[in-house]
Amino acid sequence: MPQPRPPLPALAAPARPLSATQVRILDLLSQAQRPLSAYDLLGKLRSEGVNAPPTVYRALERLMREGLAHRIESLNAFIACNMPHHHDLAAFAICDHCGTVAEVRDTDVEARLGHVAARSGFHVTKATVELHGHCAACSGKAHGHASARETGHTP
Amino acid sequence: MPQPRPPLPALAAPARPLSATQVRILDLLSQAQRPLSAYDLLGKLRSEGVNAPPTVYRALERLMREGLAHRIESLNAFIACNMPHHHDLAAFAICDHCGTVAEVRDTDVEARLGHVAARSGFHVTKATVELHGHCAACSGKAHGHASARETGHTP
DNA sequence: ATATCGGATGTTATATGTTATCATGCTTCT
DNA sequence: AGAAGCATGATAACATATAACATCCGATAT
Ligand SMILES: [Zn+2]
Ligand SMILES: [Zn+2]
Ligand SMILES: [Zn+2]
Ligand SMILES: [Zn+2]
């Protein structure tokens, strides 16, 4: 096999544009006030011809690879990244009352975590930081719970 | 209904002892080098008469309530707490190569997180902090992956 | 002792979340 | 046209988690 590599137009990276489904899903995530599960997404897409889980998961995979979406581990759900930045250290403040999720960044926390780990010879590649509690709006009031997951969901 | 409260022997807390199953599960978790999923546990307990998921989940619930075990959200698995202390803010360093999990505490990190949240009026009730990466032993060497989850599992 | 209550367990079935596999069609390069 | 690469579709399997209802048992209360 000759020709090790023809010039290659210009590219260098994953410049391939998002597919229709991928855009649609990112859109749904952006619209939503709260994280959506893969099934939530699937439900909303059924009417549009998407009817199998793998499609959704594949799209999510792509979006996360590109730093456009995040997975919330403690909820098994996904949100759009509000400030696409390619980072592995984002933190999330999840209100267990109203379900909203705020993406927060704090370099001090990042640094501290790095420190703590390094101190014991651990090399961090990815961190999951998820704070559960009550957001400003829900605090004070509303200590009776509505468990977030079933609030304002699927009519 | 009179008698607001008879003296009450001595108690103060949830002094009820763990059930046999609960002890057994805590034992299995302590023994294990790595987090075990609910189904891992169920597998190991089948020979002992436990044969349904709810039993396992219920026991785990109790153990976590008492601060004797933790759930690792990013793995859907559980570990014994190596220093029972009743805290909602523990951090875990998870080696994605050998699968070991170290429970680490750092009051500075805790404080920082509290700060960050408070700054935006968020009240934290529980934090999930899970660092993925490579432990000291696996670092440097072993960058070829074995994905941890399927290493040394169920022969 | 009898009634009662709460916690733990058993049993069954189901919901939710995730992945493997194979088939198909499209775009790009040769 | 043929080959390679990749996105999608479809079906099924697997993994994780909970609902609902019944039974059992030890601790209190009457
Ligand atoms: Zn982000
Ligand atoms: Zn809220
Ligand atoms: Zn602990
Ligand atoms: Zn390791």
Side-chain angles (χ1 to χ4, degrees):
Chain A
M1 67 304 259
Q3 247 89 336
R5 269 295 182 182
L8 263 189
L11 101 156
R16 201 184 300 265
L18 296 178
S19 81
T21 311
Q22 287 157 2
V23 171
R24 187 76 184 91
I25 287 187
L26 181 53
D27 205 51
L28 286 171
L29 289 178
S30 302
Q31 238 73 72
Q33 318 298 319
R34 10 162 63 286
L36 297 179
S37 75
Y39 268 30
D40 290 338
L41 289 165
L42 185 54
K44 291 174 190 278
L45 290 175
R46 278 244 150 79
S47 51
E48 308 174 26
V50 175
N51 37 22
T55 307
V56 175
Y57 281 102
R58 285 191 280 230
L60 287 170
E61 221 174 283
R62 170 85 191 275
L63 293 175
M64 292 194 296
R65 213 166 33 221
E66 312 260 349
L68 298 171
H70 297 286
R71 174 189 175 86
I72 306 294
E73 299 287 353
S74 55
L75 296 178
N76 294 335
F78 307 82
I79 64 171
C81 178
N82 52 9
M83 28 142 123
H85 34 190
H86 254 318
H87 55 151
D88 329 86
L89 220 176
F92 302 95
I94 304 157
C95 179
D96 291 327
H97 184 261
C98 68
T100 58
V101 175
E103 181 171 354
V104 306
R105 283 197 85 184
D106 182 282
T107 41
D108 285 341
V109 171
E110 302 186 16
R112 277 256 149 253
L113 284 174
H115 255 221
V116 173
R119 187 197 302 156
S120 52
F122 190 91
H123 177 232
V124 178
T125 60
K126 176 174 195 297
T128 298
V129 179
E130 301 175 4
L131 307 179
H132 282 259
H134 294 174
C135 72
C138 294
S139 260
K141 315 231 64 175
H143 265 240
H145 304 296
S147 154
R149 290 233 59 186
E150 48 262 60
T151 314
H153 226 233
T154 334
Chain B
M1 66 304 260
Q3 246 90 334
R5 269 296 181 179
L8 262 190
L11 104 155
R16 200 185 302 263
L18 297 178
S19 82
T21 312
Q22 287 158 1
V23 171
R24 187 78 184 87
I25 287 187
L26 182 53
D27 206 52
L28 286 171
L29 289 178
S30 302
Q31 238 74 72
Q33 318 298 321
R34 9 162 62 289
L36 298 179
S37 76
Y39 279 77
D40 287 341
L41 288 165
L42 184 54
K44 290 175 190 280
L45 290 176
R46 279 245 150 77
S47 51
E48 308 175 26
V50 175
N51 37 24
T55 306
V56 175
Y57 281 102
R58 286 190 280 229
L60 287 170
E61 221 173 283
R62 169 84 192 277
L63 292 175
M64 292 195 297
R65 217 169 24 224
E66 311 261 350
L68 298 171
H70 296 286
R71 174 188 174 87
I72 306 295
E73 298 288 354
S74 57
L75 296 178
N76 294 334
F78 306 81
I79 64 172
C81 178
N82 51 11
M83 27 142 122
H85 33 191
H86 252 319
H87 55 151
D88 329 86
L89 222 178
F92 303 95
I94 303 158
C95 179
D96 291 327
H97 185 262
C98 68
T100 57
V101 174
E103 180 170 354
V104 305
R105 283 197 83 183
D106 182 282
T107 41
D108 286 340
V109 172
E110 302 187 13
R112 271 263 148 244
L113 285 174
H115 255 220
V116 173
R119 189 197 301 156
S120 52
F122 190 90
H123 177 233
V124 178
T125 60
K126 177 175 194 298
T128 297
V129 179
E130 301 175 4
L131 307 178
H132 282 258
H134 293 184
C135 71
C138 294
S139 260
K141 317 230 63 173
H143 265 240
H145 304 296
S147 157
R149 291 235 55 192
E150 48 262 62
T151 315
H153 226 234
T154 334

